[in-house]
Amino acid sequence: MAFASGEWFEQEQLWREFYPVMFPESRFRHAAAQVDQILALAAFAGRDVLDLCCGPGRHAIQFARKGLRVTGVDRTPFLIEEARRRAGEAGVTVEFVEQDMREFTRPASFDLAVSLYSSLGYFDDPGGDAVVLGQLYRNLRPGGVLVIDGVGKEPVAKTFQPTMSTTVDGVLYVLRNEIADDWTRVRNEWVRIEDGRAVTYRFSQMIYSGRELKSLLIEAGFGDVKLYGDLSGAPYGAQAQRLVAVARKH
Ligand SMILES: C[S@@+](CC[C@H](N)C(=O)[O-])C[C@H]1O[C@@H](n2cnc3c(N)ncnc32)[C@H](O)[C@@H]1O
């Protein structure tokens, strides 16, 4: 299957240049506790784990530390290299595959699949996420569980900030966001400013309400779909920080 190229997430430079803000060491440390929470939410009882859009391997490495057999899939070569380096340093074995999330097909091979830290909604084609969920469904074994941790429309509506900035190692990062297409997408402009030189990246991400994500999961074939406000299992209510979905393949 071939997909249109030239989409924003194919810019390896974006992932390189924003690595310090997206993946600070504190986020790596946080991943161990998140993996415990995911295994509890999923009531996990299996062996094979798929970390789709694994990035630099934050969670894949922690799953492997628990003795699980882990496959991490990501299309960005720089991040896959970083994940391999970190797995080596941690002394764990993880299979890392460089591939588009829409194309990774390994039917009935996993007991748990995860899509973490806002890794859906990237495609220009509004049907792209349904393709990804269809692949995830196919790749799970019967009884297997999918855990998604994403940006929810309801928490965004409550906490929306049009501009954020941070400085890391003397580099200024300015993140500007706007709600676009009648609350279908968040349109982002990320600017990296170093020594007075600014580089701007523009991209957009689809955001789902709880109900919308649930419907997509059900359409992909999943059952027992439950929503939470974070990975600890807090309710998807007024205080929700994230949109976490847990769904089972029967
Ligand atoms: C926000 S990061 C999340 C990384 C990781 N899940 C974590 O929690 O650290 C999103 C990831 O999706 C990957 N990605 C973006 N588009 C992709 C695609 N079409 N297929 C596979 N991976 C993709 C990026 O390379 C990046 O690693």
Side-chain angles (χ1 to χ4, degrees), residues 87-197:
E89 245 175 44
V92 293
T93 302
V94 176
E95 179 199 21
F96 288 109
V97 179
E98 193 184 304
Q99 198 169 20
D100 191 287
M101 63 175 118
R102 293 164 291 186
E103 292 179 331
F104 179 74
T105 313
R106 207 173 278 178
S109 302
F110 299 97
D111 306 300
L112 172 68
V114 296
S115 167
L116 303 172
Y117 188 22
S118 316
S119 296
L120 279 179
Y122 290 178
F123 310 106
D124 289 344
D125 173 4
D129 287 336
V131 173
V132 174
L133 295 180
Q135 290 284 32
L136 284 165
Y137 185 82
R138 216 161 289 129
N139 290 338
L140 282 167
R141 298 194 172 105
V145 176
L146 169 63
V147 177
I148 297 174
D149 158 44
V151 183
K153 205 177 273 187
E154 291 87 351
V156 170
K158 198 174 168 199
T159 61
F160 185 72
Q161 278 184 278
T163 307
M164 286 172 281
S165 67
T166 182
T167 303
V168 184
D169 297 333
V171 180
L172 172 64
Y173 298 87
V174 180
L175 315 179
R176 289 167 12 103
N177 316 298
E178 63 180 18
I179 302 300
D181 301 347
D182 304 328
W183 272 101
T184 304
R185 290 176 184 268
V186 177
R187 201 175 288 139
N188 305 279
E189 186 176 77
W190 286 9
V191 189
R192 180 183 186 278
I193 305 164
E194 185 175 16
D195 298 330
R197 193 182 68 96

Side-chain angles (χ1 to χ4, degrees), residues 18-31:
F18 284 84
Y19 187 92
V21 261
M22 271 191 252
F23 304 111
E25 285 305 315
S26 56
R27 279 222 162 97
F28 282 87
R29 287 194 292 276
H30 200 192

Side-chain angles (χ1 to χ4, degrees), residues 61-81:
I61 291 167
Q62 297 301 333
F63 282 120
R65 280 205 160 119
K66 298 201 168 283
L68 301 173
R69 207 157 70 181
V70 187
T71 300
V73 175
D74 201 286
R75 78 167 306 287
T76 307
F78 160 67
L79 292 172
I80 285 278
E81 261 169 47

